[in-house]
Amino acid sequence: MHNKEQKSEGLSIKEISESLGVAEITVYKYIEKGLLVELEQPNLKYAINGQRLFTTQSVLNLKERMTDTKNHISLNAYAKEKKVSPELLKRIISNNGIVIPKGSHGLRQTYLISPEIRETLDQLIMANNFDHFRTKKNYFNSRHNIALLQSFLIEDGRTYRVMTEGQRWGFYTETGFTDFESITNAKPLYDIHKPTVKSSSYVNFSIPKNEKNAYSYVDAIYNIFGVENAQLILTEEHINVRIKMNSWNVANDSVHVQRLIELNNFTINGEIRLINQELHVISYDKRVVLVLEKEYHQQLSELAKKQNITDSRLAQKIIEEYLDKYQK
């Protein structure tokens, strides 16, 4: 009976862990720092199944110091989720004057991205990707007529892929990075050029570098679409690809077609389908052009500014919410 009365006055380490949303080992660190007040239990060491108990008030005091991170995400976790480097993310934040507040997760101070800031960053990262793709020199070197990750055969029978190091283009060999012009006997394994198709819509894929067939997918992309219709971004962990929407006759290229169908495992906003020996690139997203009167556009812009998102993103939200409500 005495133990039950004490139990009602305090919390166990397990209960504190659940209340604060941290691991039990972290709770012990709080105890070492003197952040939790333990209840006196003179007979604790003699009790069966005895537990250390800490005052509810000290737990509440600590909880008040901690930021509610349920709907927040750290910079590094967000960068990993969006498949961009932390350095690029920080540069986008700095260039756009975005302030990321610090929050406390227990004793640890970290920068936390709120849902509102996240919406803005989502748009900026997408815009950055399109800016990259618009600059062809980021993935194609016209001087040497080579493309990023293109496969070359060297005279000794070894295969290397085109990489960049700063402004330099070349290969990583056993002796380190070698400029392309330094290797006179490099022969491309395939042609990277195809007829340019007319399309303003694209689909996007993100291939993990540790995927065993990652570079086979790149070879298939270049062989079918060429640098005129497919572009690459190379990040620390992924190969991000954007492909123009269209259809291609691929009756005599079963090997590369199979690889491209497998690429659907890494889709972001579309898919590739094989229909009657034709490869179809299909986007899930559809673009709609809206023309607003000046008065309505001004209202939309003011509201978007208050929500810290772009005009187009707010217009998309309004339409989606209206359609959801209309369907119900």
Side-chain angles (χ1 to χ4, degrees), residues 145-152 160-162 171 188 190 192 222:
N145 191 30
I146 57 177
L148 186 62
L149 297 185
Q150 182 184 358
S151 188
F152 274 77
Y160 296 104
R161 290 187 180 274
V162 175
F171 306 107
Y190 46 78
I192 57 173
Y222 281 143

Side-chain angles (χ1 to χ4, degrees), residues 2 12 30 34 37 69 72 86 93 106 129 165 173 199 207 209 216 223 225 235 253-254 267 276 280 295 307 316 326:
H2 181 65
S12 67
Y30 297 160
V37 178
T69 60
H72 292 64
I93 290 170
N129 286 347
E165 189 174 87
T173 66
S199 176
I207 311 166
K209 283 184 179 177
S216 296
N223 272 279
F225 306 111
T235 71
D253 201 344
S254 59
T267 183
N276 297 327
H280 294 262
E295 178 186 353
Q307 296 188 22
Q316 180 183 342
Y326 180 79

Side-chain angles (χ1 to χ4, degrees), residues 25-91:
I25 191 171
T26 305
V27 176
Y28 284 106
K29 291 180 181 179
Y30 297 160
I31 296 170
E32 292 174 4
K33 295 285 184 180
L35 299 174
L36 295 169
V37 178
E38 188 170 3
L39 288 171
E40 291 188 12
Q41 299 183 82
N43 299 319
L44 177 63
K45 66 179 179 179
Y46 302 109
I48 298 175
N49 297 325
Q51 298 184 78
R52 298 176 68 182
L53 298 176
F54 299 82
T55 65
T56 302
Q57 189 58 53
S58 68
V59 176
L60 291 175
N61 291 342
L62 180 55
K63 196 169 186 177
E64 287 180 2
R65 293 177 52 182
M66 299 171 65
T67 304
D68 180 7
T69 60
K70 183 172 59 177
N71 296 318
H72 292 64
I73 187 170
S74 70
L75 284 178
N76 287 340
Y78 179 76
K80 186 174 182 179
E81 177 187 300
K82 304 306 289 187
K83 302 177 178 64
V84 299
S85 68
E87 292 73 22
L88 173 59
L89 177 59
K90 290 174 183 177
R91 187 162 64 249

Side-chain angles (χ1 to χ4, degrees), residues 161-212:
R161 290 187 180 274
V162 175
M163 301 294 291
T164 59
E165 189 174 87
Q167 300 298 316
R168 300 165 62 197
W169 287 69
F171 306 107
Y172 281 107
T173 66
E174 291 76 7
T175 58
F177 189 83
T178 304
D179 292 317
F180 183 80
E181 57 264 35
S182 299
I183 301 179
T184 57
N185 54 355
K187 296 181 180 180
L189 292 181
Y190 46 78
D191 184 11
I192 57 173
H193 296 291
K194 299 295 178 183
T196 303
V197 301
K198 294 182 179 180
S199 176
S200 59
S201 298
Y202 298 82
V203 295
N204 296 275
F205 302 89
S206 187
I207 311 166
K209 283 184 179 177
N210 59 7
E211 159 63 33
K212 66 178 182 179

Side-chain angles (χ1 to χ4, degrees), residues 250-263:
V250 289
N252 300 317
D253 201 344
S254 59
V255 174
H256 292 131
V257 169
Q258 179 59 38
R259 282 285 180 258
L260 292 175
I261 297 300
E262 292 172 10
L263 197 60

Side-chain angles (χ1 to χ4, degrees), residues 108-120:
R108 184 167 56 91
Q109 286 281 317
T110 185
Y111 290 103
L112 296 173
I113 298 173
S114 67
E116 295 75 21
I117 294 176
R118 183 190 182 108
E119 283 196 14
T120 301

